[in-house]
Amino acid sequence: MSLLSLSDVGIGWQDGPPVLEHLGFDMATSERVGLVGPNGAGKSSLFQTIAAILPTRAGQISFDGTPVRAGRFNPKLAMVFQNADDQLFCPTLAEDVAYGARNLGLPAPEVAARTTQALAECGLTGLEDQPVHKLSGGEKRRACIAGALVMRPALLLLDEPSAALDLRQRRNMIDLLSKLPTAMMIASHDLEFLLELCPRILLIDQGRLCADGAAHDILSDAALMAQHGQEVPASLARG
Ligand SMILES: Nc1ncnc2c1ncn2[C@@H]1O[C@H](COP(=O)(O)OP(=O)(O)O)[C@@H](O)[C@H]1O
Ligand SMILES: [Mg+2]
């Protein structure tokens, strides 16, 4: 059984035009999938639809064997927003990371254990009492991931996790994500980042899924990439 399954899904906002139509793909447990597409292609809209924030216009989404219904929150499916400041709101890092576990109604020792573990997985041990506004951009981004991990999700949706990170923070992010056993879908314009993390790529453009396959095959296809406003990453370009 697939962890996530989309069948003939239509996505759009209120009365606006369709963002994506006839979208179909499956994801397996622990699979890492990169989501590529030009600005406005619908990456963030797709994430919000899978995360049950935005209702589908057509088709079916099932996660973990259950139909996804907008408004019905599933802690096994965690979305990490592009802008960390949209997600962090508690006075200290530890409180922020603990929030999701506390919200699940878990006993205090379990909340504490999960928080300690999530902070460690995200390289944030020692910063527990820091006010979130004092964290660096990379730390904030990792704090958001820690805040998702406390819920022990089976699927993480990561929206542009490497955007605006310096090289060291970007490398930290690759190390952190590559060690997690969780299935994840990563939307990014950083194709080298995706190439390191995701064996599989979905390419969306002009309202549809244009390619779904092995990252190396898709990202090295110069004609396909050019057709959709992308460039073959330098590590795959032939000299
Ligand atoms: N919160 C929103 N309300 C209304 N329309 C939105 C919202 N978010 C995105 N859109 C629209 O959905 C389309 C796809 O945008 P988006 O999903 O943000 O693309 P991407 O993440 O690939 O850049 C765009 O036309 C955008 O204007
Ligand atoms: Mg986006």
Side-chain angles (χ1 to χ4, degrees), residues 39-40 42-45 48 82 159-160 187 189:
N39 285 332
K43 301 179 294 296
S44 300
S45 301
Q48 287 170 81
Q82 183 170 356
D159 205 348
E160 315 246 5
H189 296 291

Side-chain angles (χ1 to χ4, degrees), residues 42-82:
K43 301 179 294 296
S44 300
S45 301
L46 170 59
F47 279 2
Q48 287 170 81
T49 307
I50 296 171
I53 298 166
L54 178 64
T56 49
R57 282 191 176 168
Q60 275 89 42
I61 304 180
S62 83
F63 172 70
D64 214 9
T66 309
V68 171
R69 294 242 154 64
R72 201 181 294 168
F73 170 69
N74 185 341
K76 291 265 160 220
L77 203 166
M79 171 154 168
V80 178
F81 290 88
Q82 183 170 356

Side-chain angles (χ1 to χ4, degrees), residues 72-95:
R72 201 181 294 168
F73 170 69
N74 185 341
K76 291 265 160 220
L77 203 166
M79 171 154 168
V80 178
F81 290 88
Q82 183 170 356
N83 185 355
D85 294 319
D86 289 345
Q87 197 153 340
L88 302 171
F89 61 93
C90 293
T92 68
L93 173 63
E95 285 173 87

